[in-house]
Amino acid sequence: MSSIPHPVLKATGLTVAFPGHIALNAVDFRMFPGEVHALLGENGAGKSTLIKALTGVVRPDGGTVVLGGEAVRFSGPADAQRAGIATVYQEIDLLPNLSIAENVMLGREPRRRGSIDWKATRSLAREALGRLGLDELNVTSLLGHHSLAVQQLVAIARAVAMDARVLVLDEPASSLDNDEVTELFRVVRSLAAHGVAILFVSHFLEHVYELADRLTVLRDGRLIGEYLPAELLRIDLVKKMVGRTVSDFEALREQAQATTTEEEEPAATPLIAARRLGRKHAIDSFDLDVAEGELIGVAGLLGSGRTGLARVLSGVDAADTGSIAVSGGARRLRTPRRGIRYGIVYSSENRRLGGIVDDLTVRENIALALQAQRGWWRPISRKRQAELAQSYLEMLDVRPADAEAIAGTLSGGNQQKVMLARLLALAPRLLILDEPTRGVDIGAKFDVQKLVANLVANGMSVVFISAELDEVLRIAQRILVLREHRVVADLPNDALTMEDLLAVIAYGADPDDDDTGLPGSTGIIGT
């Protein structure tokens, strides 16, 4: 009988406290060599803090960390890397203006006679990539010329070159398509087979159940438990993570369908009427009416033109063709400021570049757009900013509910809520949300979806873009389907199925059209 392996990494009673907030409360955690260990929990559960405590980014206030049988206390991330713990973050932190070889060996380039030995550097980079089965990559090519998926794999190769014993992957699949995810998982399994312990953080439960050997659940900074995936049903995992059930999400679908099937006279004038609106290389010309209090979902594959549509409709990008009317009046939306003037606001899919200002407080982030709209010569008092921020912190259940917290210290889901609060402070009439739940956990996902449904119930119009088709089906009253930069269908979501939606995305036609050429007039893909 084989002996039970010892953990390569073990934390006991790990505690991290910030002013007015305990982010991690006496958490125990362990990882074994050669396993993929998933870390789960809603935003604010303590996942990021646990990772930071294990990798030297923050110093724990209590507890111990043992690596390879020896107690460790890291002075910083570089110290953790030297000890064998490497991290690949959701937002790639490599240098796109350097070559693949330079990125893989950055800071550890072999030297000869006082200068970098480029031949040896490229050779070591090829060796690290070869261990991942990525021999075909040209190590002299610029990293920025490659896809996000390749950049993700290069970041992993960098960890391999460090001879990491523990590899932390923070949301590695959040921006990848299915083929890229398959390649990522192949690499992860290969590393695990060679004894590397991999900490896998993901909000995609299907990925967790496909890849993980073991999983740990955190909630509100506390350990809920450690489990084997085969012994834990997904519905039970959801309950442990957030205390909510699938029925909560089903209620949102029922609410959307009930609104869709209500027999009411349509308003004589739509809130938004776009005609032949388009922009070269972004979105082909399209027509779209958006009624007051309507929730329109936008679905399509990566690169189908979803973001192009959103940016043109909101004025973030000026349209090349067509026209737009707001409440019947013709408008020229050449800038986002003009869009805001007419009550149209846009939430970017990229929180890092188009959203939160990390170094400002939550209060300052929420007040930012409203202050810009008023003009800097009419400053909003700090008291009014605090009142505004506190009201949205409570309404959106931002954790911690501290208006003076630095926004960059919040989890991804809570940053997303702060960004929504900033837009809602403008009292918009049309809210355009581009991937508002990308990279957030199932609890924050439910909170955002519920908030959107409530906003619509109170008369706000919303355009909701998501790569997750089940999410679009769950909350939208109508669904626009995009394919190759074109709107190919505008479907009522009263009895629409996932099969119908997939058929339209694949074939570019309305599933109820008998002349579409689809396999079956119902739009269900045939066998």
Side-chain angles (χ1 to χ4, degrees), residues 304-344:
S304 62
R306 298 172 314 206
T307 295
L309 181 146
R311 292 174 67 89
V312 167
L313 193 62
S314 60
V316 173
D317 291 335
D320 295 330
T321 62
S323 62
I324 189 167
V326 182
S327 297
R331 307 298 182 192
R332 291 175 64 83
L333 305 183
R334 293 289 179 180
T335 65
R337 181 183 290 273
R338 291 185 68 84
I340 291 172
R341 180 186 301 176
Y342 300 117
I344 304 172

Side-chain angles (χ1 to χ4, degrees), residues 215-295:
L215 56 89
T216 289
V217 178
L218 302 180
R219 188 168 71 216
D220 296 327
R222 296 179 181 274
L223 174 67
I224 299 302
E226 178 190 282
Y227 310 94
L228 298 177
E231 298 175 355
L232 187 66
L233 296 176
R234 296 192 189 194
I235 189 170
D236 293 327
L237 174 57
V238 171
K239 290 178 183 178
K240 293 180 184 299
M241 289 169 59
V242 299
R244 298 189 181 95
T245 66
V246 174
S247 62
D248 294 319
F249 290 92
E250 292 173 345
L252 290 176
R253 179 77 196 269
E254 292 171 1
Q255 179 178 343
Q257 290 183 336
T259 307
T260 304
T261 55
E262 287 177 358
E263 294 183 1
E264 295 181 358
E265 287 295 324
T269 303
L271 171 64
I272 302 293
R275 295 293 178 267
R276 305 294 297 169
L277 202 65
R279 180 179 171 87
K280 190 175 182 180
H281 303 310
I283 181 69
D284 291 354
S285 59
F286 64 94
D287 294 344
L288 176 65
D289 286 349
V290 183
E292 296 272 5
E294 185 174 28
L295 202 170

Side-chain angles (χ1 to χ4, degrees), residues 413-476:
N414 284 300
Q415 289 184 9
Q416 184 67 59
K417 292 178 184 180
V418 170
M419 196 159 72
L420 282 174
R422 178 196 298 165
L423 299 179
L424 294 177
L426 296 170
R429 301 177 69 189
L430 173 62
L431 180 61
I432 301 176
L433 301 175
D434 194 353
E435 297 287 0
T437 64
R438 182 176 72 87
V440 306
D441 65 81
I442 193 169
K445 198 181 295 280
F446 175 84
D447 290 340
V448 171
Q449 292 172 9
K450 184 66 176 176
L451 168 66
V452 169
N454 290 338
L455 291 172
V456 171
N458 284 283
M460 188 179 294
S461 302
V462 175
V463 172
F464 191 100
I465 301 171
S466 177
E468 297 184 43
L469 300 184
D470 58 340
E471 183 172 49
V472 176
L473 279 167
R474 184 179 303 125
I475 69 171

Side-chain angles (χ1 to χ4, degrees), residues 29-70:
F29 179 75
R30 60 180 183 165
M31 293 182 67
F32 293 93
E35 78 167 355
V36 179
H37 193 127
L39 181 62
L40 299 163
E42 61 180 326
N43 284 287
K47 303 188 303 296
S48 296
T49 305
L50 176 59
I51 290 173
K52 290 175 180 177
L54 294 174
T55 58
V57 177
V58 300
R59 287 195 175 187
D61 297 292
T64 59
V65 176
V66 175
L67 178 65
E70 296 183 4

